[in-house]
Amino acid sequence: MSYKIPMGPYHPALEEPYKLDLICEGETVRDAKLHIGFNFRGIERLAETRNYIQVIALMERVCGICSNIHTLTLCQAMEQLTGLTPPPRAQYIRVVMAELERLHSHVLWAGIAAKLMGFKTMFMTCFELREKVMDVLQAISGNRVNYSMNRIGGVNRNIDDPPGVLAMVEQLEREMVRTVIPIFTTSTTARSRCAGVGILTHEKALSCGVVGPVARASGVPQDLRRAAPYAAYAEMEFDVPVVQDGDVRARLLVRALEIMESCKILRQALTKLPPGELNAGEDKLVFAAGTATSRVEAPRGEVMYSVSWKEGSRNPSRVHVRTPTFAVMPAIRWMVIGARLADTPLIQASIDPCYSCTDR
Amino acid sequence: MTQTMTLLESIPEKLGTAEHWVEKGGVHWLSPCPLNVRELTAAMNDWKARFITITAYQLPGDQGFRLEYHWDLDGRLLGFPFLLAGNSIESIYDICEAADWIEREIHEEFALDFLGREYEPLLLRVGDKPGVNLREEAK
């Protein structure tokens, strides 16, 4: 006999509100339905009422963790409409901010995953590390969450002391290599709790169109930093970690390896930071009528913005945001079918969901 | 990369149009698309392009809507616009699973119908009629 267990929208096992209706037989999940919308704020509609300065601040609020990525993607789209090209130093600073944000996101996620595994010491360690990443972000931008770094045609703030920031990053990398990476890649606890759990097959990953670390953990080697480089990524050397297994452990491994790759990129960007201006220096902007689209590889995967402008307007006529969790979340259904009920919180957390982004 | 370029360049001919790609605003556009949206989706599936999203626009006055369908082909962003005089278009959900949620969202935001599918509510506008959020008449 099957029965339905509702999980959410407000539940101790969920980071943010959404609802999962689980159809179970005994302890085994046979099917699931997902419901979102509990964080809906109508941001796309609000964007139509903001001018080109205000809309950047608004879209920075789409997500609390990858706020920089949203302004970067939006500014890249608006740069196409204004014809402005950010100077090289700004492109490098954009890479530094994006990779620090990836570190922040992955370490935060690692802490939450550790907690759901019942590994609370690891949770504490990850959150301590996360604080240190935020210290670096604060040292650069003056802010710990919404950094206000991007503007149309460049960035708002310089990195005044690249060697100092590099020293902070190297200290972080040493601590991660000593604690997080070995535990997530070799620990028996992590392996026994995550291996073979919540499998998303390669075929299903392709048909669902999943993105980011979830795709790469199912053997889909897709990363916009490599496939369609933006900012200064074309000048960076890095690997794109891909694991074939498609289970929770594979997602853990991919993110752990991506932490190392982010450190590698940060080292290059901070060492090679070119001199020059921070932005194109235009204050009065003229937007061409039409639509521009930009994509960026956020910590959770591909973000896409389509921005539309009418002639002579100060406001966008339409801003459409396709966030990574919106693409990945429907795949949770396929991950939990056949899983034990007790594993579903860990499985849903393994995609690193952001409902704030999803609902907008 | 060369293989991708070759495939990309050959797509218009394979789709049966004399039009060429126009690269604008970060997208390779093929407009007008010679196929209907389901035929296009089937072709994209054959070429293993990754579906990304649909962006909906309401056009001024009574001109209707424009839906832009986007796929990724090895890092290249492809765009195909479809103009809607009415309020509906065929759903691609049954042949492109990744389109499920965006069709549901556009249905709720613009009150457009994707024919041939059922909707489970996204709860974006619980208790409201579809279209309250982004449809001009309802703003």
Side-chain angles (χ1 to χ4, degrees):
Chain A
M1 189 185 82
S2 64
Y3 54 95
K4 184 170 92 174
I5 296 184
M7 184 186 281
Y10 307 104
H11 189 279
L14 303 178
E15 295 167 53
E16 295 172 61
Y18 87 114
K19 191 161 184 264
L20 201 55
D21 285 328
L22 298 160
I23 313 299
C24 299
E25 283 178 10
E27 274 288 297
T28 307
V29 179
R30 293 296 177 208
D31 203 354
K33 280 186 180 175
L34 284 85
H35 306 283
I36 59 169
F38 302 98
N39 274 330
F40 179 64
R41 291 159 287 161
I43 283 186
E44 290 186 9
R45 166 75 185 106
L46 276 176
E48 296 171 12
T49 66
R50 300 293 191 272
N51 69 34
Y52 57 80
I53 304 290
Q54 295 166 333
V55 75
I56 300 173
L58 175 69
M59 301 321 274
E60 189 152 37
R61 272 75 184 166
V62 169
C63 179
I65 296 171
C66 48
S67 57
N68 176 71
I69 286 295
H70 283 277
T71 59
L72 171 59
T73 321
L74 174 69
C75 286
Q76 286 187 168
M78 293 201 289
E79 280 156 11
Q80 293 182 49
L81 293 169
T82 52
L84 294 181
T85 305
R89 189 174 180 88
Q91 303 280 31
Y92 270 69
I93 291 173
R94 284 179 171 184
V95 167
V96 171
M97 290 302 292
E99 292 309 313
L100 282 170
E101 200 168 56
R102 194 178 319 278
L103 280 183
H104 172 208
S105 179
H106 281 9
V107 175
L108 172 74
W109 173 82
I112 289 166
K115 182 181 142 231
L116 289 166
M117 275 184 238
F119 205 157
K120 292 204 174 154
T121 314
M122 190 64 207
F123 166 78
M124 303 281 189
T125 305
C126 288
F127 268 62
E128 187 193 352
L129 281 170
R130 179 214 177 199
E131 286 297 314
K132 290 177 180 171
V133 181
M134 291 171 87
D135 288 345
V136 184
L137 285 160
Q138 187 177 17
I140 295 172
S141 71
N143 295 311
R144 291 166 62 79
V145 180
N146 292 322
Y147 317 108
S148 302
M149 283 295 281
N150 291 299
R151 60 182 281 176
I152 304 168
V155 292
N156 284 317
R157 294 185 193 85
N158 195 9
I159 297 179
D160 295 320
D161 178 22
V165 174
L166 184 59
M168 293 171 89
V169 169
E170 285 178 339
Q171 171 69 16
L172 259 175
E173 187 179 9
R174 276 194 294 276
E175 289 187 38
M176 287 186 193
V177 168
R178 189 173 57 82
T179 56
V180 180
I181 306 296
I183 287 174
F184 277 172
T185 51
T186 60
S187 123
T188 319
T189 308
R191 186 182 300 127
S192 61
R193 189 74 178 81
C194 303
V197 173
I199 294 173
L200 183 69
T201 63
H202 181 76
E203 293 70 28
K204 210 64 193 169
L206 290 174
S207 71
C208 289
V210 299
V211 295
V214 176
R216 296 190 281 274
S218 290
V220 182
Q222 124 206 333
D223 188 326
L224 288 173
R225 294 174 296 173
R226 174 63 53 77
Y230 50 91
Y233 279 108
E235 294 162 44
M236 304 292 150
E237 284 181 22
F238 62 98
D239 293 321
V240 177
V242 177
V243 178
Q244 303 295 331
D245 299 347
D247 56 3
V248 172
R249 183 162 187 265
R251 284 166 222 139
L252 203 65
L253 277 174
V254 164
R255 291 197 182 91
L257 295 170
E258 284 185 9
I259 286 173
M260 303 312 297
E261 293 304 316
S262 282
C263 291
K264 195 196 285 184
I265 294 170
L266 280 166
R267 217 171 11 252
Q268 294 171 63
L270 287 164
T271 309
K272 297 194 290 187
L273 196 64
E277 299 297 320
L278 296 180
N279 54 67
E282 294 285 334
D283 287 330
K284 287 193 174 177
L285 303 177
V286 180
F287 284 78
T291 300
T293 300
S294 173
R295 294 186 294 163
V296 159
E297 188 73 23
R300 297 177 175 91
E302 174 191 68
V303 171
M304 177 174 144
Y305 270 65
S306 286
V307 180
S308 191
W309 226 274
K310 284 179 185 161
E311 184 137 18
S313 175
R314 286 170 60 83
N315 298 2
S317 55
R318 174 98 171 92
V319 178
H320 177 227
V321 188
R322 204 299 307 268
T323 64
T325 305
F326 193 84
V328 172
M329 220 173 136
I332 286 182
R333 181 185 175 205
W334 305 110
M335 295 177 195
V336 299
I337 289 177
R340 288 183 307 169
L341 180 62
D343 285 335
T344 50
L346 180 61
I347 293 170
Q348 64 86 24
S350 74
I351 70 160
D352 190 11
C354 179
Y355 306 113
S356 177
C357 283
T358 307
D359 290 345
R360 288 156 282 137
Chain B
M1 187 60 78
T2 312
Q3 271 185 338
T4 307
M5 279 309 292
T6 311
L7 176 57
L8 187 71
E9 285 161 4
S10 67
I11 283 176
E13 189 185 334
K14 287 178 177 173
L15 293 179
T17 176
E19 299 290 334
H20 294 285
W21 293 110
V22 175
E23 198 174 351
K24 191 181 172 194
V27 184
H28 287 77
W29 293 103
L30 192 63
S31 177
C33 181
L35 306 180
N36 71 37
V37 70
R38 289 182 63 81
E39 292 167 339
L40 174 68
T41 305
M44 288 293 136
N45 288 346
D46 288 345
W47 293 319
K48 302 197 186 314
R50 175 172 60 86
F51 176 83
I52 301 176
T53 195
I54 309 166
T55 303
Y57 299 87
Q58 185 165 6
L59 302 174
D62 56 359
Q63 294 178 59
F65 296 85
R66 187 175 79 244
L67 296 189
E68 294 174 352
Y69 286 71
H70 289 290
W71 277 268
D72 176 287
L73 188 67
D74 290 337
R76 286 166 204 282
L77 181 60
L78 312 184
F80 301 90
F82 288 87
L83 295 174
L84 274 65
N87 286 325
S88 63
I89 188 169
E90 285 180 291
S91 168
I92 58 169
Y93 165 46
D94 59 325
I95 51 174
C96 179
E97 192 176 358
D100 180 16
W101 278 24
I102 188 63
E103 285 190 352
R104 287 159 65 182
E105 186 173 285
I106 291 171
H107 169 68
E108 295 207 2
E109 290 182 335
F110 287 91
L112 297 180
D113 278 324
F114 290 87
L115 304 174
R117 65 164 294 166
E118 292 178 356
Y119 299 101
E120 289 174 40
L122 281 176
L123 301 177
L124 292 180
R125 307 292 319 184
V126 65
D128 259 329
K129 290 177 184 172
V132 171
N133 185 33
L134 288 174
R135 190 149 175 151
E136 285 296 334
E137 300 88 308
K139 281 180 187 174

